[in-house]
Amino acid sequence: MLARRLNSLVESGLLERRRYSDRPARHEYVPTECARDFRPVLWMLIAWGNRHFAPEGPSLLIVDANTGARADPIVVDRATGRPLMSPDFALAAGPAANARQRRLYGAARGSNTNRRRP
Amino acid sequence: MLARRLNSLVESGLLERRRYSDRPARHEYVPTECARDFRPVLWMLIAWGNRHFAPEGPSLLIVDANTGARADPIVVDRATGRPLMSPDFALAAGPAANARQRRLYGAARGSNTNRRRP
């Protein structure tokens, strides 16, 4: 059961299997970069749940690991530090967009025309 | 079909039904604060997908709505602006945590002991 779960996570690219002992042969499972990169998604999801679905108070908090101070996660643009909020930022069709996405979101040009806010 | 979907989103608290005309009676559906607050989760998810699951290039981009410049979303702490990364930040049990969450994540105290990194 556990082995099957671990293998499925390895196949999905979320865990990496590393041998840490030869005799006897033993392995450890460590999160891949892909899995570690998922953490911010999870953190925003937790913050959203705390804000809207926890009238009894939050069950999970994001805290400073050293001081225990509670953190309040927001999304900003890495280069400029500007908070990513509508209507300042919007979705646009990327190079691999399909026809439907191009129709809905337009192309990523300098103009605001034909661009939908998500 | 559409009416059922709209009603289900109203019941979930993601859409609000507003009457905008009396004769004839007409309604519009607008996203609630809860739905709008979900956007950052979606944006982090899109960025994660673009980074790890789009070898052919991204199909959706987050852009500056005025200039079209591509944004790169990261999660920071609202008060300090510090990027929320492990091991600097971690999950901790909140006031409404159940027994299992308390065991896994400890309580949100000033100490780093008994706290798991997600």
Side-chain angles (χ1 to χ4, degrees):
Chain A
M1 182 66 183
L2 177 63
R4 205 190 306 156
R5 282 192 190 172
L6 288 171
N7 282 336
S8 124
L9 287 166
V10 169
E11 278 164 30
S12 312
L14 295 174
L15 282 183
E16 189 193 336
R17 192 166 183 255
R18 275 191 207 151
R19 175 175 282 221
Y20 69 89
S21 154
D22 280 336
R23 297 186 190 184
R26 290 191 194 282
H27 298 85
E28 60 179 353
Y29 291 82
V30 291
T32 59
E33 193 191 344
C34 178
R36 293 195 308 270
D37 275 354
F38 189 73
R39 210 157 17 200
V41 181
L42 197 61
W43 283 356
M44 293 314 294
L45 199 53
I46 289 171
W48 182 68
N50 284 345
R51 196 171 305 133
H52 293 285
F53 302 96
E56 73 289 4
S59 37
L60 279 181
L61 300 172
I62 303 160
V63 297
D64 183 305
N66 293 308
T67 67
R70 190 167 167 183
D72 184 16
I74 58 165
V75 174
V76 302
D77 176 31
R78 185 190 302 269
T80 62
R82 286 167 64 204
L84 254 61
M85 314 231 292
S86 186
D88 296 341
F89 291 88
L91 288 179
N98 59 30
R100 183 172 169 277
Q101 289 168 324
R102 280 184 197 287
R103 201 174 60 242
L104 284 172
Y105 297 104
R109 297 273 182 277
S111 140
N112 203 355
T113 330
N114 196 21
R115 183 166 300 142
R116 270 219 194 163
R117 271 137 200 171
Chain B
M1 182 64 183
L2 177 62
R4 205 191 305 158
R5 282 192 190 172
L6 288 170
N7 282 337
S8 124
L9 287 166
V10 170
E11 278 163 30
S12 313
L14 295 173
L15 281 184
E16 189 193 335
R17 191 166 183 255
R18 275 191 208 151
R19 174 175 283 221
Y20 69 88
S21 154
D22 281 334
R23 299 186 189 185
R26 291 192 193 281
H27 298 85
E28 60 179 353
Y29 292 82
V30 291
T32 60
E33 193 190 344
C34 178
R36 293 195 308 271
D37 276 353
F38 189 74
R39 209 155 18 199
V41 180
L42 196 63
W43 283 356
M44 293 314 294
L45 199 54
I46 289 171
W48 182 68
N50 283 346
R51 195 170 306 130
H52 293 287
F53 301 96
E56 73 289 3
S59 37
L60 278 182
L61 300 171
I62 303 159
V63 297
D64 184 306
N66 293 307
T67 66
R70 190 167 165 183
D72 183 16
I74 60 165
V75 174
V76 302
D77 177 31
R78 184 189 302 267
T80 62
R82 288 166 64 204
L84 254 61
M85 313 232 291
S86 186
D88 296 341
F89 291 88
L91 288 179
N98 60 27
R100 184 171 169 278
Q101 289 168 324
R102 279 183 197 288
R103 202 173 59 241
L104 284 172
Y105 296 105
R109 297 274 180 277
S111 139
N112 202 356
T113 331
N114 196 23
R115 185 166 299 144
R116 271 219 194 163
R117 271 137 202 172

